[in-house]
Amino acid sequence: MTSRLVIVAAIFLFLISGVTGPFMLDDFPNILHNPAVLWGEFSFANVVNAIASSPSGIINRPLPVLSFGITYWLFGIDATAFKLINFVIHIANALLVYSLVKHLCRLLPEKLRQQNLAFWIALIWALHPLQISSVFYVVQRMTLMSSFFMLLIMNVYLLALLKPDANHKKYLQGLGWVLVLLVLGFLCKENIVLAIPLIWLLDRAFRTGGQVRQSNLIGHVFFSVFLYLPACLIVIYSFVSPEWFLVDYSKRDFDLVERLFSQVIIVKNYWVWSIWPDISQLGLFHDDFVIVRSMSWALWLTLFFHVALLIVSLVLWKRSVFFSVSILFFYTNHLLESTLIPLELIFEHRNYLALLGPVSIVVVAVSSLLTKMQNIRLRPIVMFVLVLCFALPASLRAYQWGTPGLWVQMEVENHPKSVRARHAFLVQLFHNSVENGISLKTEQLINVHLNKVLQLDQNHLASLVMIIKLRSVLEKEQRDQDLQLLYGRLSKANANLELHKSHFQDLLQCQLDGYCKFKPQVLEKSYAAIGSNPNYSDEFRADLMATWAVYVGQAYKFDSQIEALLLQANAVAKTPYVYESLAQYYLLSGSLGKVNQLLSEWPQSRGSWIARRRVKGWLKNYSENKK
């Protein structure tokens, strides 16, 4: 109990300063700009609407999204409240890590087992600088909650595995709970599927150590059904239909081979940051990483490093199974997000659980060395200093994240070639300028960072659109060079096309809301520029035409043109957005028959049922109000 209380107290002492930071980046689409989680009351309808509202993941990660809705219902839009809940989940995870490592320490020699190493490992894991972005970036509650269930699964499995049980009843009950927790974890984040290979790894380790009395046959059947068979089916399917994971590479500026080359270097960096966390190299933004596009000596040497570690883990399996498990635990946690799937290349939160492997190796290695020195008095001092080596930089980083404006300033200083870091800095200048006006010094600073961003990324538009909006809001003359860049990039862009549509919609909405005062030709030329781009798909063009039709109708009240424009869009491609826009127009004009016809012809695609359900709700409300 004392160890657990110290872990909780230390987390509060070193990391609590991080809860006062602002919302950032993906927090906005998932929370602040997601009306489905901005609950005025707790109701079944709000719960249903929230479940499928997140833009993240395969099944929209409903449990974290529901937690966002409940947090808003209780505390409103208070970033500190959202971050405090993340903070509490991190504390719970640290206590589960402590329980897990207490089990794992049974794999150590007798002398090391008596040194309460689980306490030091859990403490360093919880206070590691790499954990800051997972804890204080609100949307990473998805990672925190998924990790919570993954840690529960590992603890439950080991309790069932290691408990004397003559008829294997408790072992079977434990396997049942593993499946229940697996489903709950999957509702948080898809990487929960790694829990199965992780408990397989733990199962093999304890059976090797001769500490398991449960039936090996039951374990073989369980892992055959939930690990071996699915793994074989995925491999076979990937060879037969590789497009399931290759299709999304079209949205990236790297291909499969380049991703794998890059991940060799990146995972090595994760090892380095885990053992020697230089906070000047850490950050939320790592888009300044240079993609590895061909083999080199550096790549060969790094590949050798990984292969050597894996060979060492196999060689030491019987002699020092704890070290082997720690190495393999790290790599297993990276099987999903650091291999074939075309995700972003680098994110620190991918190490949230994986970090336990390197930390365990460091703590046990230091303790082994002290044991050989046979200096009992020196041991607690050295371990305390080791904790401080991780906790102090983590505390500094938590303070930076908890100080509005400071975290993004540090991101730019640490990653000067990061487009995203400079864009985040421009966002901060944007909000300050809207609230307080724009000084000559601020305008010069904006131009410096904007020019740097546009130099670094030839397809980047977000910063340019934001500064064009700022000049309009403040009623300052637009720079002609900015407008020409906007038209040029919209007409020639061949990457991040979906983002370009959202930027255009942002300009239209700003004009409709009355904040921006663009000349009509600015928006008309932007629309024409996008329309002339040959790289856009038919679905994209249809949604764009529908967006323009809605804008024209709202801005100029040209009701006669709206239906014609929307029907033109529908002729290009039948998308849920076009159908929803048409349905909204017909409802406003009282054409209920046409709304019902649209509902019967509704296109089938991911997320389309949400729009269809929305239209059904409008139709129901319209009918009730009419009565």
Side-chain angles (χ1 to χ4, degrees), residues 447 450-451 454 471 477-484:
N447 290 336
L450 178 61
N451 291 336
L454 297 175
R471 293 185 187 283
E477 188 69 26
Q478 295 289 351
R479 296 197 309 175
D480 186 61
Q481 66 192 77
D482 291 345
L483 294 177
Q484 294 307 317

Side-chain angles (χ1 to χ4, degrees), residues 550-561:
V550 172
Y551 168 73
V552 167
Q554 292 180 355
Y556 303 114
K557 311 300 180 187
F558 293 157
D559 292 348
S560 59
Q561 292 187 18

Side-chain angles (χ1 to χ4, degrees), residues 482-497:
D482 291 345
L483 294 177
Q484 294 307 317
L485 266 174
L486 174 68
Y487 306 147
R489 293 199 172 190
L490 287 174
S491 64
K492 298 175 183 177
N494 55 13
N496 301 322
L497 302 183

Side-chain angles (χ1 to χ4, degrees), residues 460-511:
H460 185 76
L461 264 183
S463 299
L464 182 61
V465 167
M466 182 174 59
I467 300 308
I468 288 173
K469 280 171 55 183
L470 177 63
R471 293 185 187 283
S472 181
V473 168
L474 298 177
E475 298 185 8
K476 297 181 72 70
E477 188 69 26
Q478 295 289 351
R479 296 197 309 175
D480 186 61
Q481 66 192 77
D482 291 345
L483 294 177
Q484 294 307 317
L485 266 174
L486 174 68
Y487 306 147
R489 293 199 172 190
L490 287 174
S491 64
K492 298 175 183 177
N494 55 13
N496 301 322
L497 302 183
E498 282 297 322
L499 286 177
H500 289 183
K501 180 174 66 177
S502 68
H503 296 323
F504 177 63
Q505 290 171 332
D506 199 21
L507 288 174
L508 297 181
Q509 195 60 50
C510 187
Q511 185 85 338

Side-chain angles (χ1 to χ4, degrees), residues 193-262:
V193 298
L194 294 176
I196 298 298
L198 284 171
I199 61 173
W200 175 86
L201 176 65
L202 299 178
D203 181 279
R204 293 297 94 196
F206 280 96
R207 290 187 190 278
T208 299
Q211 301 186 35
V212 177
R213 299 177 185 176
Q214 305 296 346
S215 168
N216 201 21
L217 176 61
I218 296 174
H220 275 312
V221 171
F222 178 83
F223 290 115
S224 294
V225 173
F226 294 102
L227 179 60
Y228 309 147
L229 180 60
C232 290
L233 290 175
I234 289 171
V235 170
I236 293 169
Y237 184 71
S238 297
F239 274 106
V240 174
S241 302
E243 61 273 7
W244 76 269
F245 68 89
L246 290 178
V247 64
D248 285 337
Y249 275 99
S250 61
K251 303 173 185 177
R252 301 295 183 188
D253 54 353
F254 50 81
D255 58 28
L256 173 60
V257 173
E258 291 167 345
R259 175 178 173 78
L260 293 176
F261 284 172
S262 299

Side-chain angles (χ1 to χ4, degrees), residues 403-416:
T403 305
L406 182 57
W407 77 273
V408 72
Q409 182 180 331
M410 298 308 301
E411 292 285 339
V412 173
E413 288 183 13
N414 294 337
H415 299 274

Side-chain angles (χ1 to χ4, degrees), residues 22-28 130 132-134 137 139-140 266 269-270 273 278-290 344-349 397 401 405-428 453 456 460 462-463:
F23 289 110
M24 56 186 71
L25 304 174
D26 287 349
D27 292 342
F28 289 90
L130 265 178
I132 299 302
S133 60
S134 298
Y137 186 9
V139 79
Q140 286 310 325
I266 291 165
N269 290 344
Y270 290 157
W273 296 342
D278 178 0
I279 62 173
S280 67
Q281 296 181 17
L282 305 183
L284 187 58
F285 307 108
H286 290 278
D287 52 305
D288 53 346
F289 176 81
V290 179
E344 294 274 357
L345 288 175
I346 309 178
F347 272 124
E348 292 176 5
H349 69 258
R397 202 166 176 226
W401 275 62
L406 182 57
W407 77 273
V408 72
Q409 182 180 331
M410 298 308 301
E411 292 285 339
V412 173
E413 288 183 13
N414 294 337
H415 299 274
K417 293 185 178 180
S418 166
V419 171
R420 292 178 181 176
R422 289 186 180 273
H423 175 67
F425 189 67
L426 283 168
V427 169
Q428 178 180 292
V453 164
L456 288 169
H460 185 76
S463 299

